[in-house]
Amino acid sequence: MIPVLSRAQMRAFDKFAIEACHVPGMVLMENAGRGAADVISAIIDARRLKQLQGTPEEASPSVWHGPAGSPRPPSLLPPPPSGAPATLHHRATAGAQRGRPLRRDKAAASAERARSFPVRHIPSPGQPATYPLEARVVVVCGAGNNGGDGYVVARHLLARGADVHVFLTSRSEAVTGESRINLDAYVDLGGELTEMPSDTPLTPLEEALERADIVVDAIFGTGLDRPIHGHLAEVIAVINAASCQCIALDVPSGLDADSGAPLGTSVQADDTVTFGHLKIGLLTPDGARLAGNVHVVDLGVPDAPILAQVGYVAEVIRKETVRSYLQPREANTHKHAAGNVLVIAGSSGKLGAALLTARSALRSGAGLVTIGTWPDAALALQSRVVEIMTTSIEPEQLEASLEAALASRHAVAIGPGLGLDDRARAVVDHVVLRWDGLKVVDADALTLFAGRAEVLATAKGSLVLTPHPGELGRLLGRSARAIEEDRFGAIREAVRITQAIVVLKGARTIIATPDGRMFICMAGNPALATAGSGDVLTGIIAAFACSMAAECAAIAGVLIHALAADAWSLATGADRGLQASEIAEKFPGLIAALSRGIDPLAP
Ligand SMILES: NC(=O)C1=CN([C@@H]2O[C@H](COP(=O)(O)OP(=O)(O)OC[C@H]3O[C@@H](n4cnc5c(N)ncnc54)[C@H](OP(=O)(O)O)[C@@H]3O)[C@@H](O)[C@H]2O)[C@@H](O)CC1
Ligand SMILES: Nc1ncnc2c1ncn2[C@@H]1O[C@H](COP(=O)(O)OP(=O)(O)O)[C@@H](O)[C@H]1O
Ligand SMILES: [K+]
């Protein structure tokens, strides 16, 4: 289980560790800062190694600072994306292409620092492979404990030979407690510090950032409780304008750790090293965009007893969990036992939605899949389907034709491309509210409950609702934007009103259940932003619901759907151009890999 905590829970976690478990706050701060320094060192190492590999002169063993006799590690970084900002690695490549010696000006400085920081022959976990760390790092610290973490990071990077410069957004007299002790330690060890309170110009910071390889954002963490403006907003603007890699401590400064929305403004980080546990605000589409790659470092305290006290708001969906839902097929399985799904979808001009949903259900392992649709659509579909059956929903004999279509089904997927007219409304009401089975309700079927979401709580059987933010907005009477600004609040409200399992789609899809649990999918990528990908999700959840509890079907369906896009992007190197029909093609292989405990994305 990977827990995700709210801001209040994380602060309670720290408080409980300090007050009830008697782990000094200073120790927590040291663990946090050192963990972050380890992550930053690894990032610098990876960039350095890439740089060495790309340049014959520097790739000689004489400049390889890894442990004696150790092999040079393989490349750790993908090639720079086109149009990416110039970073240490990218600039190095450009220099090499022009055929001139790379960073020769740094070679002497490097040799000099190597004398002070010799190669460690017994590296401990987290110790950088290269000594000295060849990077110019600017750390921007606020006056609180997030700044305290920043001084710890600065001290460790200094000790590892990096060229470190700390900027403090206040006067040092304003820094107190553990942060002050760490500030003093950094300065007394020879660290360079520039005070930058509100009445001072930001030019020295701008100049330092022009030369820097990395900027560490340690201005605000979970203490941020109001919008940022004025001097601090300007400091953040300067950080965001810099072309060096930005690594945020705990959360990007300005990101609301609960809602995942920026409070006034926010640092836009490439990486975020978060302490103890994931904060929920890092896991919204906006939070994910502002945080970049998220690394969690532990605080050196056992989680279980503290989490039992402070709780958590959500869990990250793990492949291992989904594996436990995927049972091997019995040798004597027959098609009825494998799952009988009815897809009520499609209308003239929107037949593709029905096909995508139905094919997805088949690729997910359903034994029998039937599309129930309007007579004209059923006729048009018949020539296009082979393995899928079709049945007509007769508007004149609606209930009778629906009852016939629903007989013996294990699950129904309803909504994609169905239409929004009165006949569609009658079908949706009959199936969603009165059929006593499992229904995955998507697209038009959701929109048909706009303004009357509470009737869903009276539905027979069980419901999985799969809205995107626009559809959830229609259900709750809000704009899609309002939903995105408070995704966790919105999904909780939807569950409270409908008593259904709700899947709120998007970058970082959330699943919430009526008993108050939430699950977050960290997989998936923007390649999924393509018409019909939601229909494919509806199909996989409906198929899985034939052999799993509804909640498990939603969790497994969401993860495998997202992994399909990740696998496609890994294979193609692309973040666009995925066709919805290709998503389901990946399902059998992904299901097989997960069932065997193999990471389907491992190289
Ligand atoms: N021992 C522990 O608990 C551990 C904590 N750890 C670290 O501490 C971080 C939390 O530290 P923190 O509580 O000191 O708050 P932080 O985020 O540094 O903000 C500082 C202060 O800024 C202020 N402020 C708020 N909003 C503002 C605004 N918009 N504009 C201007 N000012 C604003 C507000 O003070 P105020 O002005 O209200 O008095 C706030 O208190 C946490 O994220 C983690 O990094 C780790 O070391 C592990 C152990
Ligand atoms: N940027 C993104 N990152 C990850 N997943 C995404 C992203 N954009 C869209 N998705 C996923 O793609 C699917 C889109 O569903 P939906 O909006 O219903 O599309 P459609 O109506 O065209 O079928 C959802 O599963 C959503 O989570
Ligand atoms: K921060």
Side-chain angles (χ1 to χ4, degrees):
M1 198 257 299
I2 303 173
V4 185
L5 276 63
S6 68
R7 175 176 181 265
Q9 284 169 331
M10 195 61 224
R11 290 173 79 82
F13 186 102
D14 291 338
K15 192 164 183 283
F16 194 86
I18 294 166
E19 292 176 5
C21 306
H22 308 292
V23 181
M26 192 66 182
V27 171
L28 297 181
M29 188 174 279
E30 181 66 18
N31 290 344
R34 173 149 187 168
D38 290 347
V39 171
I40 295 167
S41 298
I43 288 171
I44 295 169
D45 270 344
R47 289 183 169 276
R48 173 77 177 145
L49 292 169
K50 188 78 185 171
Q51 182 188 3
L52 292 173
Q53 283 182 333
T55 53
E57 285 185 44
E58 294 213 353
S60 66
S62 60
V63 290
W64 162 240
H65 293 281
S70 66
R72 189 187 302 276
S75 164
L76 295 171
L77 279 183
S82 59
T87 62
L88 189 149
H89 160 63
H90 303 148
R91 281 198 300 271
T93 311
Q97 281 164 350
R98 286 195 297 274
R100 58 181 167 75
L102 180 79
R103 297 170 75 92
R104 299 302 292 167
D105 56 325
K106 292 210 77 184
S110 171
E112 175 62 33
R113 290 215 303 282
R115 278 194 283 280
S116 319
F117 305 98
V119 174
R120 266 67 165 169
H121 290 282
I122 310 171
S124 62
Q127 288 279 317
T130 50
Y131 269 90
L133 275 180
E134 192 172 303
R136 285 167 288 205
V137 182
V138 166
V139 185
V140 186
C141 294
N145 285 333
N146 196 245
D149 299 332
Y151 309 121
V152 178
V153 168
R155 168 162 43 84
H156 282 288
L157 294 181
L158 188 70
R160 294 169 189 183
D163 179 344
V164 183
H165 190 159
V166 170
F167 286 81
L168 168 58
T169 61
S170 67
R171 298 236 173 262
S172 43
E173 298 80 66
V175 181
T176 57
E178 285 124 11
S179 298
R180 182 54 190 255
I181 295 169
N182 279 312
L183 165 58
D184 291 345
Y186 166 75
V187 172
D188 292 347
L189 286 164
E192 193 178 359
L193 176 96
T194 302
E195 290 180 354
M196 201 175 47
S198 53
D199 50 353
T200 49
L202 299 181
T203 328
L205 175 63
E206 284 167 335
E207 287 170 0
L209 289 176
E210 266 171 35
R211 295 187 302 270
D213 300 305
I214 287 178
V215 56
V216 177
D217 155 37
I219 306 173
F220 292 119
T222 54
L224 181 79
D225 56 6
R226 55 190 185 273
I228 301 172
H229 39 74
H231 177 67
L232 290 167
E234 285 167 23
V235 171
I236 288 174
V238 168
I239 292 174
N240 286 343
S243 62
C244 54
Q245 181 169 2
C246 177
I247 303 176
L249 300 188
D250 214 14
V251 292
S253 297
L255 183 79
D256 183 317
D258 279 343
S259 73
L263 268 174
T265 182
S266 171
V267 164
Q268 169 135 29
D270 298 295
D271 293 80
T272 294
V273 184
T274 201
F275 303 130
H277 292 285
L278 287 166
K279 318 296 177 299
I280 195 150
L282 296 169
L283 306 184
T284 62
D286 233 7
R289 178 179 66 81
L290 293 168
N293 305 308
V294 177
H295 315 256
V296 185
V297 300
D298 73 81
L299 292 173
V301 290
D303 284 339
I306 310 184
L307 282 179
Q309 293 294 321
V310 305
Y312 53 92
V313 276
E315 294 174 40
V316 170
I317 301 174
R318 300 183 69 221
K319 297 184 187 96
E320 293 76 6
T321 308
V322 169
R323 181 188 184 191
S324 70
Y325 303 157
L326 297 166
Q327 300 301 326
R329 275 205 175 165
E330 300 293 343
N332 62 350
T333 301
H334 54 84
K335 63 188 176 192
H336 286 279
N340 186 345
V341 175
L342 176 66
V343 175
I344 302 179
S347 55
S348 176
K350 290 188 179 165
L351 299 180
L355 281 171
L356 284 168
T357 311
R359 286 183 181 146
S360 167
L362 273 179
R363 286 289 188 196
S364 308
L368 280 166
V369 179
T370 307
I371 296 175
T373 190
W374 313 114
D376 57 331
L379 198 65
L381 275 174
Q382 272 166 18
S383 59
R384 295 182 58 186
V385 293
V386 180
E387 302 88 349
I388 299 163
M389 287 160 286
T390 57
T391 184
S392 280
I393 302 169
E394 307 289 344
E396 284 75 38
Q397 297 162 345
L398 202 94
E399 297 208 353
S401 59
L402 277 176
E403 283 308 316
L406 288 163
S408 316
R409 307 298 177 190
H410 295 134
V412 168
I414 182 164
L418 188 64
L420 293 168
D421 54 15
D422 287 348
R423 60 181 189 166
R425 187 183 172 105
V427 167
V428 164
D429 278 7
H430 184 89
V431 176
V432 173
L433 300 180
R434 297 196 277 281
W435 184 64
D436 190 12
L438 182 285
K439 292 144 289 189
V440 184
V441 186
D442 187 31
D444 292 344
L446 287 168
T447 300
L448 285 162
F449 286 101
R452 54 179 190 130
E454 62 290 343
V455 300
L456 289 165
T458 66
K460 283 188 176 175
S462 50
L463 299 179
V464 178
L465 314 181
T466 59
H468 57 52
E471 287 155 353
L472 190 62
R474 276 174 227 144
L475 279 185
L476 299 181
R478 289 188 217 150
S479 66
R481 190 190 166 130
I483 300 294
E484 285 300 81
E485 278 168 5
D486 183 16
R487 283 169 62 87
F488 298 103
I491 195 172
R492 280 201 198 95
E493 187 181 344
V495 171
R496 184 180 56 74
I497 292 172
T498 63
Q499 289 303 303
I501 294 168
V502 180
V503 177
L504 175 54
K505 295 182 286 194
R508 308 283 185 268
T509 292
I510 317 169
I511 297 154
T513 60
D515 62 6
R517 286 168 307 137
M518 287 202 286
F519 305 88
I520 302 172
C521 179
M522 300 286 278
N525 70 72
L528 282 171
T530 184
S533 61
D535 307 335
V536 178
L537 180 67
T538 306
I540 190 174
I541 296 176
F544 281 174
C546 297
S547 57
M548 295 176 198
E551 165 190 318
C552 301
I555 292 171
V558 164
L559 182 72
I560 292 172
H561 179 262
L563 287 175
D566 287 346
W568 181 87
S569 290
L570 203 65
T572 60
D575 62 1
R576 66 201 72 183
L578 172 67
Q579 292 184 37
S581 54
E582 294 173 299
I583 302 170
E585 303 299 313
K586 298 244 176 238
F587 290 169
L590 288 169
I591 292 168
L594 289 175
S595 304
R596 292 193 198 110
I598 298 167
D599 183 347
L601 302 183

